[in-house]
Amino acid sequence: EQNDTISVTFVDKDGEDQLIKVPIGMSLLEAAHENDIELEGKHADWNVGGWGACEGSLACSTCHVIVMDMDYYNKLEDPTDEENDMLDLAFGLTESSRLGCQIVAKPELDGIRVAIPAATRNFAVDGFVPKPH
Ligand code: FES
């Protein structure tokens, strides 16, 4: 059977799991917006509009998500230098951090679970591996 969507779980800022279906080829940023997932990637210093502020042009790091399982993390394409530069600025960076606008749904990612950094700050989330700056 050919599936054209995958299941993605977001751990939101309240620590709640939200399961959504994401079409193959769509970024997690777009999917989160389409599903009205409340994401909050604001650093205290930022006055910008929150998650996905640059709409996927790798000019912010507000779309920072933490992939909760290294097996899934390892299935992602390697981040570009531009993504790594932005991630270095992200608050609460972890070993499995990525930018949500750069994670594009593909069949191997079915079942992936990602948290927003606020969730890992406020709740004990399994798999959270802090990375020192
Ligand atoms: Fe700005 Fe992803 S939305 S880098």
Side-chain angles (χ1 to χ4, degrees):
E1 189 192 326
Q2 192 85 19
N3 280 328
D4 51 7
T5 63
I6 62 168
S7 296
V8 175
T9 300
F10 283 90
V11 184
D12 71 14
K13 61 183 169 48
D14 298 321
E16 300 286 332
D17 276 7
Q18 295 192 44
L19 177 67
I20 62 172
K21 294 283 185 187
V22 181
I24 302 297
M26 181 180 278
S27 77
L28 296 197
L29 172 71
E30 291 172 83
H33 278 171
E34 289 211 347
N35 288 276
D36 289 328
I37 292 200
E38 272 205 44
L39 297 158
E40 181 257 8
K42 282 185 214 162
H43 187 278
D45 296 339
W46 295 345
N47 291 314
V48 293
W51 213 76
C54 80
E55 296 181 355
S57 56
L58 284 176
C60 71
S61 55
T62 63
C63 64
H64 176 199
V65 295
I66 296 162
V67 180
M68 301 314 295
D69 183 331
M70 278 319 246
D71 288 345
Y72 282 108
Y73 179 82
N74 291 330
K75 289 177 187 172
L76 301 172
E77 310 294 325
D78 288 339
T80 60
D81 290 346
E82 289 80 4
E83 182 178 350
N84 278 326
D85 287 350
M86 281 300 143
L87 279 171
D88 281 342
L89 303 174
F91 183 81
L93 192 67
T94 76
E95 296 289 355
S96 60
S97 288
R98 293 297 301 260
L99 293 179
C101 66
Q102 303 300 306
I103 300 178
V104 175
K106 58 181 178 178
E108 308 92 283
L109 296 181
D110 188 38
I112 193 172
R113 188 160 172 261
V114 300
I116 61 171
T120 57
R121 278 204 304 279
N122 298 330
F123 300 91
V125 178
D126 293 345
F128 175 54
V129 184
K131 182 179 180 181
H133 275 270

